[in-house]
Every structure is written in C-alpha cells, then in structure tokens.
Amino acid sequence: MALDEMPLYDAKDLSVFTEDFAVAEDAKDSLRHLRNEFIIPTKDDLKSKKYGPAEKITSHDSSSATPREPEPCAYLCGNSLGLQPRRTSEYIKKYLDTWASKGVYGHFKELEGGLPPWLHIDDAVKEQTAKMVGASPSEVVVMQTLTANLHLLLASFYKPTKDRYKIIIEGKAFPSDHYAALSQLAHHNIPACALVTITPPSSESPYLSTEHILSVISQHQASTALVLLPGIQFYTGQLFDIDIITRHAHSLGITVGWDLAHAMGNVPLNLHDWNVDFAAWCNYKYMNGGPGVIGGLFVHERHGRVEMSSNNNRPGGHADGLVSNASEEHITYRPRLSGWWGSDKSARFRMDNKFVPISGASGFQLSNPSALDMTAVMASLDVFAMTSMQALREKSVKLTAYLETRLQHYPNGEVPYKIITPVNAAERGAQLSVLLQPGLLDSIMETLEEEGVVVDERRPDVIRVAPAPLYNTYSDVHRFVTVFQGACKKAMKGQHEQKKSDMVEGGKNSHGWAEVK
C-alpha cells in the first residue's frame, strides 16, 4: 500500500484513545526491542538539578525500603536531539582506553576487541552511512559539521556567471542555511537580492506544493546557478519530493543541493538514484550521535571523479571547470577547498605538498576527523544496522498516523490548536508541528516539562512532536496526548480567567474606581 493511501486509525473506534490500545500496539511492534538500545531519561532525571542521573528515591511505605522504580519520560524530541545509545559509553571507553594505553599508535594499530585505528575510522562508518542515504560508500563521508559542510560544498558547486548567479532557497529555511547562502553571495560580490526565496502561495498555510516549488525554479531558471533546499522543512515537518525537484532543476541546467538535517535517519533516501548533486546533514537529531557531533556529506560519483593523464596527453591549467595539477601526471578533479585528509591516503604522510584527492566524497575532507565524534556516530550507526530504513519508515508512518488521530480527537471543548504538517504520509517524516492559539505556548510547555513529556517549541506558537521509531512507542504518544490536551485545557482556562480579570480591571479604571493614589 502506498504511503498516501495508508488509512488513519479509525477515530470512530473509541478504544483507539485508551491506554490499553497503545499497550497492545506496542506489544505487536516487531521493532520494540530497539528501544532497549537507548537510555531513556526518567522524570526524576529531568527534574534533578544535579549532574548525572537522579538518585533512586525510596518508597515512603514503612513496610518496604525498596527504591521505587523511576518513571521514564516521554521523549518525543529526536528531531532536535536524539537519545543516547547505550553502546555509546562502551565505544567511547574503548576510544579512551586506546588513547591511554597506545598513545599515537592508536592511529595505526589494529587492536583485538578494539575499534578501528583512527587513521581508518572515517572509512569504517561509510558502508552503513551509505545504506541510509541510498548511495555507494565512495559517495559519502562523515566530516565537519552541517553548516561547515554546506560552505565547503557551496565553494565547490556554486559557480556564478554573469548570466547565472542566483541561489534559490526555501523561504523559511533554517537560519544557518539562509546565512550560508547569503554569505556565499557576498563572497562572490553578488548582492543579497540574488537570493530567491520560495514562499507559500497562501498566507493561510505554510504548505509548499511540489508544483509551486517547480514553478519558482522555472521562473528564475535563466539566472539561477544553484538550488539549496531542505529534505524536510524544520518548522512544518514537510518532506519535499527530492527526486522530482532534482530532475526538474537538472532539466533547466541548475545544480541542486540538499540539507538533510531532518531527513537523515528519519526517512529512506536514494540520493544516488535521484541524481542529487550534493547533500549535507548533521548526526545529532534522528542519528543520535550527541549534541554538535560531527556531520556528513554526499557527493554524487560523477562529481567525485579523479582522472590522471600524462603531461604529453593533456595541457595544463583548467579544463571544463575542473582543476588540473601541473606535474608528471595531470590530476583532474572538481575544484574544492582542499585539506590534507582529502589527499591520497597512501601518500598522506609523505609531506610533499602534492595534493592528490581521494576519489569520491572523501576527497572533500580537510583535517583528520575527531575520533571521539566518529566513535559516537559509529555507536548509533551500529544500532541502525540492526534494522533497515524501510522497516523504520513503516513503523514511523503508523506511529505518526496514531499521533495525528489522537490529536484530532479533542473531547469536550474547542480545539485550541491545528496540525500544520501535511496530512499525506508521503509528505512528512516522524514530526508533526502543532500550531497553538496565541498566548498558550508558555503554559503548555511548563506543564509538559513538569509531567516529564519532552517536545520542543518554535516561537511564537508552535510545538514540534517527533515520535522516533527507533525508541518511541505508542504508549509515549498516548502519554503525550493525554498530558498535552490537559495542558491545553489548563492554559485555556487560565487565559480565560485572565481576560475576565482584565475586563474587570478595565471597567474599574473607566469609572475611576481603581484610581488610588
């Protein structure tokens, strides 16, 4: 069954709204064992002001001194920061032990029971990373951070000319993407007005149809050099049609890059088959690598080729926009901001200052990557390797549909919110963005935090709820909706009482009753 044909849960069946239903669905989940791979903070952990896990609290029941079992929080914030895999601390301890016992030899020595040598640790994560983005291992590399990678890629792929110089982005792009695009224009002495933003055709909805996106690209085709779009829009959670948009831009001779921060580890990707020019992502959201951890990038194989020919067969200089080194052999490759870790590994330590780029995405590396960061990413990738993106997507679609059905059922009162994420499952990932009535956000977030329910906010009035299929459950969703709707009623009541109080005070003032000096 196609995603856009998958039925929602039957809202007429009132059992759907019970805790028993959620528990039963969890029992049927074939991926439920993956939750055990993660450390779920408890309510006490979140409330504690001390470093580390909260101490277990002993029951007040005089007949028993057994510590009570701590209650895990409902963590639905993997779109902002994923939970810590249990194996992360184990892997990092191996890294620390290697550093402590081997020193610099940790770069090169294969150790029984240890992690890959640091010299090769970037290669060790390629295969699983490639599976997750639908690419060959040579087309991906784990390096730098998201915006740094975007700048490195734009330095290589944004080649403005007199006729083609514009960059097209999405109007509500994440600020960092917006800043990166503007600074690239400034770097080339091109005015900021060359940044074209795709905005919704209606002020009533943030939705961007594929047709609308294609029409804006077509409108500016003659003067556009590059399109940079998010795979999933961070604010609304809308999943863009990467395949169709890429094909359309290419048909017009435009280079296309993708920010996959909210798509990586969330939805299946097929970057190679979609013919994407380049992409970048972070590894701390659905990828669970830890805050600010090293990111990754994709460069299609056609852009990563390194060709060699003798001086007798090829002239020096630049050809077809490619770099050609003058030496005994001509080395022709796509220009980039180069660093020594992107140079041929076998010659890396010769220190002869002859840059011979590694073929593929690895040739875009700069410095040696943080082995600590790589170790954390490896721990999460090994959890992903226990399943497939397709299996995770199937669970995610069902879990998000359950969340949507629960939110649409608001008993006893006016619904003080609306979902602004597309209803079509094929146009969204795990995240639903909920737009609240003005003035309710602070009160609702305070209640959610007090009850150990973790989501995030985008001011002034949006909360983002993301049931990540690796570790979230139907019970998590049930608990969120129960607490959230209770918080809505509490906030509405408080707002109503405040309005009544303001009206009374206003009435007093109008008659001079409150004018006490």
Side-chain angles (χ1 to χ4, degrees), residues 146 150 153 177 213 217 226-232 239-247 249-250 255-261 271 274-281 296 298:
L146 175 56
L150 284 176
L153 290 165
D177 290 28
I213 294 171
I217 295 173
L226 184 138
V227 172
L228 177 64
L229 294 174
I232 290 182
L239 169 61
F240 292 158
D241 194 326
I242 298 174
D243 183 16
I244 288 179
I245 295 170
T246 299
R247 279 194 277 131
H250 283 171
T255 299
V256 190
W258 294 89
D259 176 345
L260 303 177
L271 300 186
W274 292 339
N275 212 25
V276 167
D277 291 303
F278 68 88
W281 57 86
F298 163 90

Side-chain angles (χ1 to χ4, degrees), residues 250-267:
H250 283 171
S251 73
L252 302 175
I254 301 172
T255 299
V256 190
W258 294 89
D259 176 345
L260 303 177
H262 289 268
M264 181 66 171
N266 182 4
V267 295

Side-chain angles (χ1 to χ4, degrees), residues 141 168 200 202 215 231 290 336 447:
V141 64
I168 297 178
S202 170
S215 70
R336 77 281 306 268
T447 300

Side-chain angles (χ1 to χ4, degrees), residues 98-109:
T98 301
W99 180 20
S101 63
K102 303 300 179 187
V104 71
Y105 296 137
H107 280 291
F108 312 103
K109 287 196 173 183

